[in-house]
Amino acid sequence: MTKKGFSTTNLHSDRKDNPEHGVLHKAIHPSVAYGYDDARELAEVFQGKKAGYNYGRQLNPTVTALQNRITAMEEGVATVAFSTGMAAIATSFMSLLRSGDHIVSSAFLFGNTNSLFGTLENLGIEISYVDATDVAAVKNVTRGNTKIVFVETIANPVTQVADLAAIGDFCKSEKLIYVVDNTMTSPHLFLPKKVSASLVVNSLTKYIGGHGNALGGSITDTGLFDWQSFDNIFEHYKKEQPNLWGITQIKKKGLRDMGSTLGPEAAHHLAVGSETLPMRMDRASSNAQQLAELCNTHASVNNTYYPGLSHHPQHSRARQLFNSFGAIFSIDLIDGIDCFDVLNKMETVVSSSNLGDTRTLGIPVAHTIYFEMGAERRASMGITDSLLRFSVGIEDISDLLDDFHQALNP
Ligand SMILES: *Cc1c(COP(=O)(O)O)cnc(C)c1O
């Protein structure tokens, strides 16, 4: 049978294992515990000799169904879902690293990931921040204790596109774990596996869930990394087949020990949301392209940052790697135009911090999500005080264009 397409596979995913009553959605299972007629079977489940559920912190059928959808979307071998995207990143790093290990990270990061890495530094993990738009910068700082290279596909908020393929080749040859945060592109626009990613992060809160009504995060193992070459796997988790060692450790530590578990109700919302991911993403990307083009030539705008504009420094890389250029763009304004005034004049665009919603959201980033990191780090990331980030939604484009026109015209 030929392999079915992205949408078909996802839409029919929950029907696969003969669900009760032939339901088309996996049921929401609220049960925390699972009963066994034979106590020996319970012991076998605990010892991993038999598949089954034991306690809701580690496993839940509704969450498993969502994990299977994400594994299929990312063309990976296994996925673990978490309560949020930050929980996915934090617990994976805590599960895989030891003090004295070194991370090479893109300097252009989601603000909370940047803050998390500060916490890891306090725990004895070393971090080097580099301009990941060029693999040479990653190579320069890699050393004997480097374990992980971390990048985002399209960076927040200035939309730099990492040198994804060359970094993948480098990580492969150096046996480094290559972690790609695919949140901004989603598996509809980009498969990190194609650039040799080892682990893929998705904040399910954003495009995959897509409606701003549930939090969630995930880590998918692409199956490409040789975990036998990695020092930090606990002996217990070496019983599985080697390509599952890493994700097993993330699951055991991240869910069982750290408890950042996704709830079944949220899993249901995220799964239903994911069914329209390709349609939403295509529409939002097309809307973003048109708005970015408007801003790019508008007299009130100093700079427009969007990979779909031909002057963007990584425009051709983005064209080559991604199905479209995504739905996030940022602008900074000319002197004398206040970013708060512009947002306040907008009628359709909502002042809000989320991204990947169906509605268009705008935020003055230096004063909000990038406030805590301070002016110096902001400057190094290209974030000016007047920078506005827009997460473009799926509204009618004519209404969005009207709203930007009236708000930007002085
Ligand atoms: C939002 C976001 C996260 C964190 O996800 P939450 O679900 O909000 O915890 C991580 N990385 C990127 C790129 C994000 O945009």
Side-chain angles (χ1 to χ4, degrees):
M1 215 166 58
T2 54
K3 190 166 160 280
K4 297 237 172 25
F6 185 100
S7 288
T8 311
T9 305
N10 186 30
L11 286 165
H12 295 275
S13 164
D14 285 359
R15 291 200 294 131
K16 271 212 208 121
D17 43 79
N18 294 319
E20 244 188 334
H21 315 303
V23 291
L24 300 184
H25 291 112
K26 186 75 180 175
I28 300 175
H29 289 280
S31 194
V32 169
Y34 302 84
Y36 289 84
D37 290 338
D38 179 352
R40 283 193 190 83
E41 202 183 330
L42 175 63
E44 281 169 3
V45 168
F46 260 88
Q47 291 170 24
K49 290 179 185 152
K50 195 167 180 191
Y53 295 89
N54 51 18
Y55 187 61
R57 189 178 342 100
Q58 296 178 66
L59 214 51
N60 169 286
T62 315
V63 176
T64 303
L66 174 67
Q67 290 175 164
N68 292 341
R69 286 182 186 240
I70 297 160
T71 301
M73 286 186 217
E74 290 287 1
E75 299 185 10
V77 292
T79 296
V80 185
F82 294 90
S83 54
T84 64
M86 284 318 301
I89 301 172
T91 55
S92 300
F93 279 71
M94 298 278 282
S95 304
L96 294 176
L97 295 176
R98 297 181 184 175
S99 91
D101 288 341
H102 176 234
I103 302 172
V104 179
S105 170
S106 169
F108 314 124
L109 279 183
F110 179 65
N112 300 157
T113 306
N114 181 77
S115 171
L116 165 69
F117 287 173
T119 308
L120 295 181
E121 275 186 300
N122 278 352
L123 297 174
I125 292 161
E126 299 163 19
I127 322 256
S128 300
Y129 297 100
V130 298
D131 177 351
T133 60
D134 184 357
V135 67
V138 174
K139 289 182 179 172
N140 265 340
V141 299
T142 298
R143 47 196 197 225
N145 59 342
T146 305
K147 293 288 198 305
I148 288 180
V149 176
F150 180 87
V151 299
E152 294 174 6
T153 51
I154 301 176
N156 251 294
V158 188
T159 73
Q160 298 95 337
V161 179
D163 198 354
L164 291 158
I167 297 173
D169 291 342
F170 174 67
C171 289
K172 198 162 143 189
S173 75
E174 299 298 311
K175 295 187 184 301
L176 300 169
I177 301 172
Y178 185 24
V179 183
V180 177
D181 184 335
N182 199 25
T183 300
M184 294 277 272
T185 26
S186 90
H188 173 57
L189 296 192
F190 178 58
L191 283 184
K193 186 179 184 177
K194 294 206 167 138
V195 296
S196 307
S198 322
L199 297 173
V200 182
V201 176
N202 278 291
S203 166
L204 307 176
T205 317
K206 312 293 173 54
Y207 294 103
I208 291 180
H211 296 74
N213 61 348
L215 292 157
S218 66
I219 300 284
T220 301
D221 191 322
T222 60
L224 297 178
F225 186 72
D226 175 14
W227 293 99
Q228 282 172 293
S229 71
F230 185 61
D231 303 335
N232 295 358
I233 299 292
F234 289 79
E235 284 305 318
H236 275 309
Y237 311 130
K238 292 186 179 172
K239 288 173 197 145
E240 308 265 352
Q241 58 194 90
N243 74 338
L244 294 176
W245 290 359
I247 200 80
T248 302
Q249 185 156 309
I250 291 170
K251 185 163 76 189
K252 293 289 184 180
K253 297 285 156 194
L255 296 182
R256 191 198 56 193
D257 301 1
M258 299 178 203
S260 43
T261 309
L262 180 69
E265 289 83 3
H268 169 74
H269 284 304
L270 296 167
V272 174
S274 78
E275 294 183 351
T276 51
L277 170 67
M279 293 160 71
R280 285 184 283 103
M281 202 84 221
D282 289 346
R283 166 99 162 202
S285 298
S286 156
N287 283 353
Q289 180 77 38
Q290 293 176 69
L291 292 174
E293 281 169 11
L294 179 160
C295 292
N296 192 37
T297 54
H298 199 284
S300 302
V301 177
N302 198 12
N303 274 305
T304 305
Y305 305 93
Y306 183 62
L309 296 175
S310 59
H311 69 74
H312 187 284
Q314 293 91 37
H315 174 65
S316 62
R317 176 182 294 162
R319 179 180 290 283
Q320 198 195 337
L321 290 173
F322 308 144
N323 277 335
S324 68
F325 300 103
I328 301 288
F329 76 99
S330 295
I331 58 176
D332 51 41
L333 302 164
I334 59 167
D335 285 346
I337 298 206
D338 185 283
C339 64
F340 290 97
D341 291 344
V342 168
L343 275 183
N344 288 345
K345 273 166 81 179
M346 289 185 154
E347 287 163 11
T348 302
V349 177
V350 187
S351 294
S352 173
S353 68
N354 190 22
L355 60 88
D357 198 320
T358 42
R359 287 152 277 257
T360 301
L361 313 175
I363 187 162
V365 293
H367 309 275
T368 55
I369 49 179
Y370 289 90
F371 182 71
E372 190 184 291
M373 69 170 54
E376 201 178 318
R377 179 95 170 91
R378 278 200 297 276
S380 77
M381 294 176 75
I383 300 171
T384 61
D385 285 349
S386 74
L387 194 78
L388 289 173
R389 182 193 75 188
F390 296 99
S391 167
V392 179
I394 60 171
E395 295 96 339
D396 301 284
I397 185 62
S398 54
D399 294 326
L400 291 174
L401 289 168
D402 285 351
D403 205 24
F404 272 71
H405 264 302
Q406 63 82 17
L408 284 171
N409 288 345

